[in-house]
């Protein structure tokens, strides 16, 4: 009898009861706005920022409306100018080049390797073309951060890390988001903590932090923050930094605080599921798994694999056959952007150069979510289905 998977790839775990109780308490008080507090009361947003700063070892933290807002805020906080080139990955998701274009700057794309990380040789070759790199740790794959920072430091490049897929990850023990000048995180439903939408920004630079707080709409109430610079730092920037209001509300902050306390446990659970699927796919004819270096502490909330050299028709057949058995795969090689699979050449608001090596990799790239609602047995079943269908198409097409 042919096996079939019946789970849902978009179903997340319930919000923890502690977080629900905290959210209800905020709603009962009616004080949802970030600065709407009673005398002696500390806002949930300020407590979230303090706790995330401690979690990552950062001096400063700002909670904002979304991961995309965090990226745009970070660019403005480091002084990006209209028309300025900003380096970024060719393999990323639309909010990254969107943030660059939204700030009036121009994305300059850097290639991807078969391990799905930024091509450091290509970065080195393009290092003289921009003073800012918005580095996307796309789908949770960390490049050699030591070499990347050496390249960027030598070229005087400011690094902004997009950690939407790497909250809880680390490189050589350093938390993701702590190598560059800023780290930006997402709390959208499909990320590692869930408030529907939400973002966090961390930095050790007091002036960048002060600008970010002013940008987020502090209304000169910056003294109510717990993870922000001293008041005298704000005196240097408060008259010249525009208000682009977007700081997080207390309701979402209350939902997130208990989830952050469970993050390490959740990372282990994701990685258990990742390991089962990875092992089940290993050695499948025609299928390549990205390498995960020893230095990388990853978060396996999704898994990717390549069908290198396959025709589009053959890849599409794998997609159809897996879908018929309940396994939902996303394809980055499709001609049209679909859901979360747009590519650098999909974003026609920004110019791009031909990138044949990157195109070759993306043409055969498949992607799959691994929500924590899946059991380890589910992971093994999914791997068996993918292995069987990839093997069948590979054999049939030679």
């Amino acid at each position: 009898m042919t096996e079939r998977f019946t789970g849902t790839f978009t179903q997340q775990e319930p919000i923890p009861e502690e977080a629900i109780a905290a959210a209800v308490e905020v709603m009962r008080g009616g004080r949802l706005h970030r600065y709407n507090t009673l005398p002696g009361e500390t806002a949930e947003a300020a407590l979230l920022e303090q706790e995330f700063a401690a979690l990552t070892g950062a001096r400063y933290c700002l909670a904002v409306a979304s991961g995309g807002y965090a990226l745009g805020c970070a660019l403005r906080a480091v002084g990006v100018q209209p028309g300025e080139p900003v380096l970024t990955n060719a393999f990323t998701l639309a909010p990254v080049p969107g943030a660059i274009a939204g700030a009036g700057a121009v994305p300059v794309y850097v290639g991807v390797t078969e391990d799905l990380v930024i091509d450091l040789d290509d970065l080195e070759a393009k290092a003289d073309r921009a003073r800012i790199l918005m580095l996307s740790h796309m789908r949770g794959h960390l490049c050699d951060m030591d070499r990347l920072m050496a390249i960027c430091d030598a070229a005087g490049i400011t690094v902004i890390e997009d950690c939407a897929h790497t909250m809880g990850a680390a490189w050589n023990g350093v938390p993701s988001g702590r190598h560059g000048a800023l780290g930006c995180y997402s709390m959208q439903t499909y990320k590692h903590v869930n408030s529907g939408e939400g973002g966090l920004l961390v930095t050790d630079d007091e002036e960048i932090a002060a600008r970010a707080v002013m940008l987020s709409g502090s209304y000169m109430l910056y003294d109510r923050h717990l993870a922000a610079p001293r008041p005298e730092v704000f005196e240097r920037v408060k008259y010249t930094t525009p208000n682009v209001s977007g700081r997080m509300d207390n309701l979402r902050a209350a939902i997130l605080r208990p989830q952050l306390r469970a993050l390490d446990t959740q990372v282990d659970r994701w990685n258990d599921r990742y390991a089962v699927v990875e092992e089940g796919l290993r050695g499948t004819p025609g299928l390549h798994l990205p390498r995960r270096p020893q230095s990388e502490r990853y978060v396996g909330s999704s898994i990717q694999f390549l069908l290198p050299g396959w025709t589009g028709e053959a890849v599409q057949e794998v997609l159809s056959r897996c879908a018929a058995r309940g396994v939902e795969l996303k394809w980055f090689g499709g001609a049209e952007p679909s859901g979360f699979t747009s590519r650098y050449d999909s974003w026609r608001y920004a110019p791009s150069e031909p990138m044949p090596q990157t195109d070759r990799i993306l043409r055969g790239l498949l992607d799959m979510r691994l929500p924590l609602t899946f059991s380890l047995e589910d992971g093994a079943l999914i791997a068996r289905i993918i292995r069987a269908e990839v093997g069948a198409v590979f054999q049939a097409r030679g």
Side-chain angles (χ1 to χ4, degrees):
M1 181 176 174
T2 302
E3 293 181 299
R4 192 176 191 283
F5 180 64
T6 58
T8 303
F9 283 81
T10 55
Q11 181 58 56
Q12 307 304 305
E13 290 192 305
I15 299 298
E17 288 300 322
E18 183 185 357
I20 293 171
V24 169
E25 188 65 23
V26 170
M27 288 190 286
R28 284 200 175 110
R31 296 182 299 282
L32 276 64
H33 190 270
R34 54 199 182 256
Y35 296 115
N36 184 197
T37 54
L38 296 175
E41 183 181 34
T42 303
E44 291 285 332
L47 291 168
L48 173 68
E49 291 163 347
Q50 183 183 58
E51 289 162 5
F52 193 71
L55 182 69
T56 57
R59 291 178 68 191
Y60 310 115
C61 177
L62 177 68
V64 295
S66 71
Y69 183 94
L71 295 172
C73 185
L75 284 165
R76 291 180 174 91
V78 301
V80 72
Q81 297 298 306
E84 181 176 359
V86 175
L87 295 163
T88 195
N89 310 51
F91 175 47
T92 186
L93 291 180
V96 177
I100 296 169
V106 181
V108 176
Y109 299 111
V110 182
V112 64
T113 73
E114 287 193 345
D115 292 324
L116 305 185
V117 297
I118 193 168
D119 185 331
L120 295 179
D121 292 334
D122 193 31
L123 174 64
E124 196 161 28
K126 294 173 178 172
D128 61 348
R129 295 173 60 176
R131 67 178 185 91
I132 299 170
L133 166 66
M134 182 162 276
L135 171 67
S136 177
H137 300 304
M138 177 61 171
R139 286 297 191 252
H141 295 271
L142 295 173
C143 72
D144 181 341
M145 290 302 297
D146 300 318
R147 184 183 169 201
L148 179 135
M149 290 307 303
I151 292 169
C152 291
D153 288 345
I157 293 172
T158 297
V159 177
I160 299 169
E161 294 182 64
D162 164 33
C163 307
H165 303 155
T166 54
M167 180 187 286
W171 179 265
N172 277 333
V174 178
S176 182
R178 301 293 292 120
H179 287 85
L182 300 103
C184 300
Y185 308 80
S186 172
M187 279 75 73
Q188 184 245 41
T189 287
Y190 301 121
K191 303 305 190 297
H192 301 157
V193 291
N194 176 12
S195 60
E197 275 290 4
L200 288 162
L201 180 156
V202 298
T203 184
D204 284 347
D205 186 296
E206 64 180 11
E207 193 148 315
I208 288 174
R211 287 198 206 102
V213 170
M214 296 301 300
L215 283 160
S216 74
S218 73
Y219 300 99
M220 304 305 168
L221 299 173
Y222 43 77
D223 60 331
R224 299 192 191 178
H225 288 244
L226 300 177
R230 298 160 291 127
E232 52 265 37
V233 183
F234 287 94
E235 292 296 322
R236 302 200 295 264
V237 303
K238 70 180 186 180
Y239 296 118
T240 57
T241 306
N243 180 328
V244 187
S245 191
R247 187 165 175 240
M248 183 182 289
D249 57 84
N250 288 325
L251 180 59
R252 281 183 285 180
I255 292 170
L256 288 166
R257 291 178 61 210
Q259 293 182 63
L260 279 180
R261 292 194 282 273
L263 181 60
D264 282 346
T265 299
Q266 300 293 75
V267 169
D268 289 341
R269 294 178 64 212
W270 263 306
N271 288 352
D272 288 343
R273 283 149 182 76
Y274 185 98
V276 168
V277 177
E278 182 185 47
E279 187 56 35
L281 295 180
R282 198 178 300 284
T284 303
L287 183 150
H288 170 79
L289 287 164
R291 182 180 60 96
R292 309 293 321 217
Q294 288 285 323
S295 298
E296 179 190 30
R297 157 73 161 166
Y298 60 86
V299 185
S301 56
S302 68
I303 191 165
Q304 296 71 43
F305 59 89
L306 298 168
L307 301 178
W310 286 46
T311 65
E313 293 79 5
V315 175
Q316 187 61 62
E317 186 175 352
V318 168
L319 292 172
S320 298
R321 292 174 69 122
C322 286
R325 297 180 65 180
V327 174
E328 182 182 325
L329 300 173
K330 304 290 185 181
W331 180 31
F332 279 89
E336 286 295 319
S338 175
F340 303 101
T341 60
S342 54
R343 300 188 310 259
Y344 74 95
D345 54 356
S346 303
W347 308 313
R348 295 175 190 171
Y349 52 79
S352 62
E353 303 169 357
M355 304 186 75
Q357 173 71 0
T358 291
D359 292 342
R360 180 185 66 79
I361 292 166
L362 297 182
R363 198 173 294 125
L365 176 58
L366 296 177
D367 170 78
M368 184 178 74
R369 287 195 182 105
L370 291 174
L372 290 176
T373 48
F374 290 1
S375 67
L376 299 183
E377 292 75 18
D378 289 336
L381 170 59
I382 290 167
R384 288 197 300 273
I385 291 171
I386 296 172
R387 185 184 189 95
E389 299 307 334
V390 168
V393 177
F394 183 75
Q395 285 189 332
R397 292 179 177 260

